[in-house]
Amino acid sequence: MPDGGVRVVGHGARFRRSRRSELLIWWREIDRVLLTLILSLVTIGCIAVAAASPASAHRLSTSSKSLGDLYFFWIHLRWVAVGLVAMFFASVLPKEAARRGAIVLAAAMIVALVLVPLVGSEVKGAKRWLWIGFSLQPSEFLKPGFAIALAWILSWRVRDPNIPVISITIAIMGVVGILLMAQPDFGSTMLFGGVWFVLALLSGLSVNRILYAMGGLILTVIAAYFFYPNATHRIDNFISGGSEFDQVDLAMRTLMNGGWSGAGLWLGSRKNALPEAHTDYIFSVVGEEFGLIACAVIVTIYCAIALRVLMRLLDEDDLFTILAAAGLTAQLVGQAFINILVNLQLFPSKGMTLPLISYGGSSTIALLMGVGLLLAITRRNPYLSREKFDVSELVRK
């Protein structure tokens, strides 16, 4: 360009500069520690699925169709790739866009749950999937939307303490619970109920209402035991033994078979008799092949995720952000510890996967999308100071 000339910048160059600037802002505002912890779990999950894949492939092979040893591993990598893309696009959303998108997602998935008993696909006696060119499990995609939608409703108390937000969220929880129990999916119903309780507690639920909620939960479990065959079956099997209890017992034996250091990759023997080795009982496979130390590392990472989000929220000044981040974290970590307790023979079998580690299609994508929304909601400008949100003041209101 000659001296004194004017350089004309085309639309393409400005667009590239703008996108580069947005990515730099995203990288500056994102919680990189939390992102690292999440990616660590995803990496461990890929290794764990590779370890469990031969056992599940052999169990599911037939005389007419033989599955390769790494059949589930290669499929899992594809789902993880799609999930990571979904996580990235969710994490770059501004907080308001993430909130609106999650609410729309929740509404769409509730409609899908209504359709599941009517036109859903049945697997092992449960209708939980819709076929829309691929198998979609609406309850998995409802999880992040549910937590954020409830957080948004509960945050209305800041604007007007007279709005009956607790009653509204109880009604939503009731609808979701009925739709899940119709599948049947008692485990997910309890998980959604636990997320509701955490959010209601953080929003300033009074002590009396906390006691009422706990009493209601106990009565719900008792009623489910007497009138809901799925719950009766699972609780009875856990207490007195049965086919599912035998599975949990086998999972525990598989978990302990590796000792502290494990038998080594693909050297475990008990996993070959373990049902759902690549999904529900993958934690036991990790214990057998990589040892109890590896299991402890996984538990530590989940605890670190919860602690990191808590630290991120300590100086947060927005109730919606606190509730949404807490709800998404409670959902992720709560599901993880339910799965781990089942593998340790300390909880009835629930049919829940180990988040970000177990093999899955809908669950893997939905979980990574939820993590992306969590990253989006906890994004912040590191140069802005904040006034801490006073929860006790909300309770006094």
Side-chain angles (χ1 to χ4, degrees), residues 111-138:
V111 173
L113 282 179
V114 174
L115 297 175
V116 166
L118 303 175
V119 296
S121 303
E122 184 171 334
V123 178
K124 296 181 180 180
K127 279 190 176 182
R128 300 177 186 174
W129 296 266
L130 289 176
W131 180 256
I132 53 173
F134 61 92
S135 185
L136 172 72
Q137 188 173 357

Side-chain angles (χ1 to χ4, degrees), residues 31-296:
D31 187 343
R32 294 191 290 274
V33 174
L34 180 58
L35 178 62
T36 300
L37 292 170
I38 295 298
L39 293 179
S40 298
L41 279 181
V42 173
T43 303
I44 292 172
C46 291
I47 298 171
V49 172
S53 181
S56 294
H58 293 166
R59 285 179 63 88
L60 297 175
S61 292
T62 64
S63 57
S64 60
K65 183 178 181 181
S66 177
L67 303 180
D69 284 349
L70 294 180
Y71 174 80
F72 291 104
F73 171 69
W74 296 121
I75 297 178
H76 182 69
L77 288 184
R78 297 174 200 167
W79 291 123
V80 167
V82 175
L84 289 174
V85 172
M87 182 186 76
F88 172 75
F89 280 106
S91 68
V92 299
L93 292 173
K95 186 185 300 184
E96 287 301 308
R99 176 181 62 79
R100 295 191 191 100
I103 292 170
V104 171
L105 177 66
M109 290 303 105
I110 288 176
V111 173
L113 282 179
V114 174
L115 297 175
V116 166
L118 303 175
V119 296
S121 303
E122 184 171 334
V123 178
K124 296 181 180 180
K127 279 190 176 182
R128 300 177 186 174
W129 296 266
L130 289 176
W131 180 256
I132 53 173
F134 61 92
S135 185
L136 172 72
Q137 188 173 357
S139 60
E140 292 295 330
F141 285 93
L142 177 60
K143 289 176 181 177
F146 177 83
I148 292 176
L150 258 59
W152 175 59
I153 293 171
L154 290 168
S155 67
W156 296 349
R157 286 192 65 188
V158 174
R159 298 196 300 270
D160 186 353
N162 296 320
I163 299 176
V165 292
I166 298 296
S167 299
I168 295 172
T169 56
I170 288 175
I172 294 173
M173 180 62 234
V175 171
V176 170
I178 291 171
L179 292 173
L180 289 173
M181 298 279 269
Q183 295 185 358
D185 193 351
F186 184 64
S188 290
T189 305
M190 298 304 294
L191 179 63
F192 276 87
V195 172
W196 171 85
F197 183 74
V198 168
L199 292 180
L201 193 63
L202 289 176
S203 68
L205 195 65
S206 66
V207 175
N208 288 337
R209 289 192 173 186
I210 292 173
L211 295 176
Y212 292 149
M214 292 178 65
L217 176 62
I218 294 172
L219 290 175
T220 300
V221 173
I222 294 173
Y225 176 77
F226 285 106
F227 302 108
Y228 188 62
N230 183 263
T232 305
H233 180 63
R234 290 181 181 275
I235 294 173
D236 282 346
N237 283 336
F238 176 71
I239 295 173
S240 60
S243 60
E244 286 190 331
F245 185 77
D246 290 341
Q247 290 180 11
V248 176
D249 181 67
L250 180 57
M252 179 66 171
R253 294 175 184 274
T254 304
L255 174 65
M256 301 301 294
N257 193 48
W260 288 105
S261 57
L265 180 62
W266 296 317
L267 298 179
S269 57
R270 286 188 177 271
K271 70 176 183 181
N272 294 317
L274 189 63
E276 309 296 341
H278 60 311
T279 55
D280 297 0
Y281 298 111
I282 198 168
F283 189 73
S284 294
V285 176
V286 171
E288 182 177 34
E289 303 220 337
F290 303 105
L292 296 177
I293 294 176
C295 292

